[in-house]
Amino acid sequence: MMRCRVPVRFRVKPILMLAAGWMVVFGVGTMGLGQAGAQGQSTASAPVNAKRPLAFEVVSIRPYTAASGPVQFGQTPDGYHSIGLPLFAIFQDAYAPPAVTGVLRGDRIIGAPDWLMGEHYDIVAKVGEADLADWQKPELKQAMLRAMLRTMLADRCNVAVHHASKEVPVYDLVLAKGGPKFKAAEITDPVELKQKHPSGGRMIGGGMAMETPNGTRFYGVSMMWLGDAILTNMAGRPVVDKTGLTGRYDLELPRAAMPQRIAAGVSQADEHPASQSLEAPPPPPPPAEPASIFTLLPESLGLRLEPAKGQVETLVIDHVDRPTAN
């Protein structure tokens, strides 16, 4: 199968991109352009059919070209489409744990060949009549999509995977004294959100984000998503939701630049102690560090990060081929 050279403006980098209009992170984050699902759908189970696995009736996979149009993906009334994204993004969606409203973090996928991230494809899939009624139920659609994507990867790419877990340092996201300083979301429906905030960017897992003069405003997001998709990138280790808040919320995250050494609990002075002679004048005071996530969270959101240990599940790709021809 031919390889696709993707224009530079569409290549996805493994960093957090908080830009007005849309956000994508594949290396260490989970935000994206996907069409959001309704609240609660992540924990629902897809219909069980003993005779066959859930699968799309028709699937087209072709190398992406500039003629395909802008990068986009999401569910449609009768199927799914992904235009201009690497197959790595499909793995992130297909193998996300059931309790996760977004996608599996890119740094929790092991064994991916370079082409899985570097080659971009157009995928158009249709749901068969037998599954269409269930597909159109918001509480079932997310689980059905993940099951169908896994079937597609197995059929078209000969995928074999297994799961592994390990204990790593994490931060528990908990409520600070006084409780949360944000309110329940006024709107959670993705169509209504886009109508009210046309310049905002939709996110996998539900909700929307929009740049403001003071930071980034989030609409209709869960605490699990906030910790896993956003705060983990800022804190430098996995953030596990322990707030007990199960709804969706509107909140604003201030602009914050957290130095890497602060994230590790070591200041620059600790790592590189100054060696001055007694005759030398005292060095000037170091510049003030930018406000970090650890100070901004309690002040702005009524949340706190506590160091802890936790089990992190990873997906190990044992085998994957390039997609077979249509």
Side-chain angles (χ1 to χ4, degrees):
M1 177 171 290
M2 63 177 289
R3 296 196 180 191
C4 172
R5 294 183 62 82
V6 181
V8 172
R9 64 180 181 276
F10 291 136
R11 291 178 184 168
V12 182
K13 297 181 179 180
I15 57 174
L16 179 63
M17 302 168 63
L18 291 177
W22 65 283
M23 290 163 282
V24 177
V25 177
F26 289 116
V28 293
T30 55
M31 299 171 60
L33 281 170
Q35 182 174 342
Q39 178 178 350
Q41 67 186 25
S42 62
T43 57
S45 297
V48 176
N49 189 316
K51 296 182 180 179
R52 60 178 175 82
L54 281 170
F56 294 112
E57 184 175 66
V58 179
V59 177
S60 170
I61 305 178
R62 301 180 185 277
Y64 171 78
T65 68
S68 301
V71 174
Q72 56 182 302
F73 65 95
Q75 299 164 351
T76 64
D78 63 349
Y80 171 83
H81 72 287
S82 171
I83 307 300
L85 292 181
L87 287 184
F88 189 84
I90 307 301
F91 275 82
Q92 289 184 276
D93 204 355
Y95 291 99
V100 174
T101 56
V103 297
L104 180 63
R105 287 173 50 84
D107 58 351
R108 295 179 193 172
I109 299 179
I110 300 171
D114 291 342
W115 68 265
L116 201 65
M117 174 67 80
E119 298 179 10
H120 296 219
Y121 292 87
D122 296 343
I123 300 174
V124 179
K126 297 295 183 182
V127 173
E129 287 293 331
D131 296 314
L132 193 57
D134 285 332
W135 177 262
Q136 294 173 349
K137 297 176 182 178
E139 70 274 15
L140 298 178
K141 185 177 289 187
Q142 183 71 48
M144 291 182 69
L145 172 63
R146 289 172 175 173
M148 290 179 174
L149 289 177
R150 290 194 297 269
T151 301
M152 179 191 74
L153 290 172
D155 291 344
R156 300 293 296 273
C157 300
N158 297 315
V159 167
V161 301
H162 72 274
H163 295 273
S165 63
K166 59 181 179 179
E167 187 178 67
V168 298
V170 302
Y171 287 115
D172 287 342
L173 179 66
V174 300
L175 295 177
K177 185 177 181 180
K181 298 179 181 180
F182 47 85
K183 297 181 179 180
E186 297 179 359
I187 301 174
T188 59
D189 181 78
V191 176
E192 293 182 23
L193 278 172
K194 191 63 178 177
Q195 291 173 346
K196 185 172 182 179
H197 307 287
S199 62
R202 289 182 182 180
M203 301 178 299
I204 291 177
M208 177 171 286
M210 187 167 61
E211 289 290 291
T212 71
N214 298 321
T216 303
R217 183 75 181 173
F218 296 97
Y219 299 95
V221 297
S222 67
M223 289 296 100
M224 179 183 292
W225 181 90
L226 180 70
D228 192 60
I230 302 300
L231 303 183
T232 290
N233 294 284
M234 302 175 70
R237 67 173 69 170
V239 173
V240 181
D241 174 32
K242 294 291 183 68
T243 63
L245 302 177
T246 58
R248 290 182 177 270
Y249 305 91
D250 296 340
L251 54 91
E252 184 164 343
L253 191 65
R255 298 187 188 280
M258 188 185 69
Q260 184 176 0
R261 297 309 299 174
I262 291 181
V266 182
S267 70
Q268 292 180 352
D270 293 331
E271 186 179 15
H272 302 292
S275 57
Q276 300 288 339
S277 66
L278 294 177
E279 294 77 20
E289 293 282 10
S292 79
I293 184 175
F294 300 99
T295 58
L296 286 175
L297 271 176
E299 294 175 4
S300 65
L301 300 179
L303 302 172
R304 188 174 73 251
L305 294 177
E306 295 181 345
K309 291 280 189 177
Q311 292 290 327
V312 172
E313 184 176 273
T314 60
L315 177 76
V316 181
I317 300 177
D318 300 307
H319 182 84
V320 57
D321 294 330
R322 288 182 173 85
T324 56
N326 294 317

